[in-house]
Amino acid sequence: MAQITGKTGNYGYRVYYRDSNGKRHSINKKGFKRKSDAVAAAAEIENKKYNYGISDLETATFGDYFEQWSNTYKIGRFSTSTDEKYKYATKLIKEKFGNTPLKKVTKIQYQQFLDNYGSTHTKDSTSRINGYIRASLQDALDEKIITRDFTRNAVLSGGANKDPDLKFLETEEASQLKKLAYERASVYDISSAIIVFAISTGARFAEIIGMTYDCIDFENRTITINKTYDYKTRSGFGPTKNKQSMRTIPVDAELIKFLKKLQLQQRSLFLKQGFKNKHNFVFINNRYNIPSDNAANKVLINYERKLKTKNKITMHGLSYTCINFDC
């Protein structure tokens, strides 16, 4: 039975329950003006305990709940980059809300959190964070840990071009960059080859690194993007961002000619060295390495300095810079 505590103007209740391991816990709340209000609230908790059970997360902080939800349903199920996004969201929540229980987060507090984040990030980024949190609350509602969705009707905002990854090069700058990269691209400078491919196709870095020669139709001049490669942990191939990301795109004759040349370079060199490109990687260098995004970004930055481009972008930004009209 629930314990009713306090006195007139400040009644409270305490309800005891045991978790899945048999350990005893309690839920308590104070501040009821009338004893009958405290009794009614306690009865609601008791009813939940007997009819649905009380989750171990009943008293969890917002940050702890989101972290456990992410670890259960998201982390390790997709790509490393996706894992990092959920971990980053957890960090943001814990920094903003601290020890605030999930149940006590208000719509105003949450809107202020989104506004603060949006002041230094793009609207797309703000929308993604809100989407992660909203999805976690749907499960909290299903498990009756909370009774309201504080993300409902949240207003999303974002600063224009605050994220350097979302900038892009002007067409003329992109053409100059592509020309420079072509001049250096080879099996000995795979990062330049990656830059050429990114500008020509609009592919994401993980998609480029995951390219294999069987995805290139030299005769019909098309590129099929159907997988990615985990370049951070080198753990192997993975799926594209979503089903819509799987695509076949036409490319120009210049790129096809270059890719044929690159393949011949690799075959000739690897044959002499006794190395077999068993995964049929396109972007593998003379040392049998797949470049990291950091390595490619360093080469890209050097090119941008040389060209004195208006915007300074990363490899991610090249997917927005594609100058192939079919990207």
Side-chain angles (χ1 to χ4, degrees), residues 44-193:
E44 184 177 339
I45 298 298
E46 288 280 5
N47 180 64
K48 179 180 179 181
K49 180 173 73 172
Y50 290 114
N51 288 287
Y52 306 105
I54 295 179
S55 168
D56 296 349
L57 293 171
E58 190 75 30
T59 58
T61 65
F62 182 13
D64 286 345
Y65 170 77
F66 185 82
E67 182 173 38
Q68 183 163 329
W69 177 84
S70 297
N71 289 336
T72 301
Y73 297 107
K74 302 297 179 181
I75 303 297
R77 296 181 181 273
F78 303 99
S79 66
T80 301
S81 60
T82 298
D83 289 352
E84 292 303 317
K85 289 174 184 176
Y86 279 98
K87 290 176 182 178
Y88 177 62
T90 298
K91 179 175 178 290
L92 288 176
I93 293 168
K94 289 189 172 184
E95 287 177 350
K96 169 62 179 178
F97 293 94
N99 294 322
T100 305
L102 177 65
K103 285 185 170 183
K104 293 188 177 181
V105 177
T106 67
K107 290 178 70 67
I108 291 177
Q109 287 176 320
Y110 184 68
Q111 185 63 59
Q112 291 172 340
F113 163 72
L114 288 181
D115 290 344
N116 182 63
Y117 182 79
S119 67
T120 56
H121 295 78
T122 63
K123 187 173 182 179
D124 284 345
S125 181
T126 306
S127 178
R128 182 171 61 247
I129 293 293
N130 179 65
Y132 291 168
I133 294 172
R134 187 172 178 82
S136 75
L137 294 195
Q138 297 310 302
D139 286 332
L141 286 165
D142 288 345
E143 294 181 11
K144 301 188 183 301
I145 296 172
I146 58 175
T147 58
R148 57 187 175 79
D149 177 5
F150 53 76
T151 69
R152 190 174 68 85
N153 294 329
V155 180
L156 304 179
S157 61
N161 289 331
K162 290 298 181 73
D163 186 345
D165 281 352
L166 296 182
K167 292 180 180 179
F168 56 89
L169 300 179
E170 300 296 335
T171 302
E172 182 59 30
E173 291 177 333
S175 295
Q176 292 175 357
L177 173 61
K178 187 177 180 181
K179 181 179 178 182
L180 276 178
Y182 259 129
E183 290 173 357
R184 291 189 53 183
S186 72
V187 67
Y188 300 98
D189 190 345
I190 284 295
S191 289
S192 290

Side-chain angles (χ1 to χ4, degrees), residues 169-275:
L169 300 179
E170 300 296 335
T171 302
E172 182 59 30
E173 291 177 333
S175 295
Q176 292 175 357
L177 173 61
K178 187 177 180 181
K179 181 179 178 182
L180 276 178
Y182 259 129
E183 290 173 357
R184 291 189 53 183
S186 72
V187 67
Y188 300 98
D189 190 345
I190 284 295
S191 289
S192 290
I194 289 171
I195 291 171
V196 165
F197 192 88
I199 297 176
S200 301
T201 64
R204 301 179 179 90
F205 189 77
E207 295 172 340
I208 298 172
I209 295 300
M211 282 296 302
T212 49
Y213 278 108
D214 57 291
C215 293
I216 303 173
D217 187 334
F218 291 104
E219 183 177 349
N220 294 307
R221 296 197 325 211
T222 61
I223 300 290
T224 297
I225 296 174
N226 55 20
K227 60 185 176 300
T228 59
Y229 184 76
D230 189 342
Y231 58 90
K232 292 187 177 180
T233 65
R234 312 289 167 146
S235 58
F237 293 104
T240 54
K241 186 176 181 180
N242 49 50
K243 289 184 178 180
Q244 290 71 35
S245 296
M246 297 179 67
R247 59 206 186 274
T248 297
I249 57 176
V251 293
D252 58 41
E254 186 180 26
L255 180 62
I256 289 295
K257 182 179 178 180
F258 167 73
L259 292 173
K260 284 182 178 179
K261 179 181 176 181
L262 178 63
Q263 186 180 44
L264 289 174
Q265 284 182 336
Q266 291 166 333
R267 284 178 175 175
S268 177
L269 181 64
F270 295 161
L271 181 61
K272 292 177 182 178
Q273 296 174 337
F275 172 74

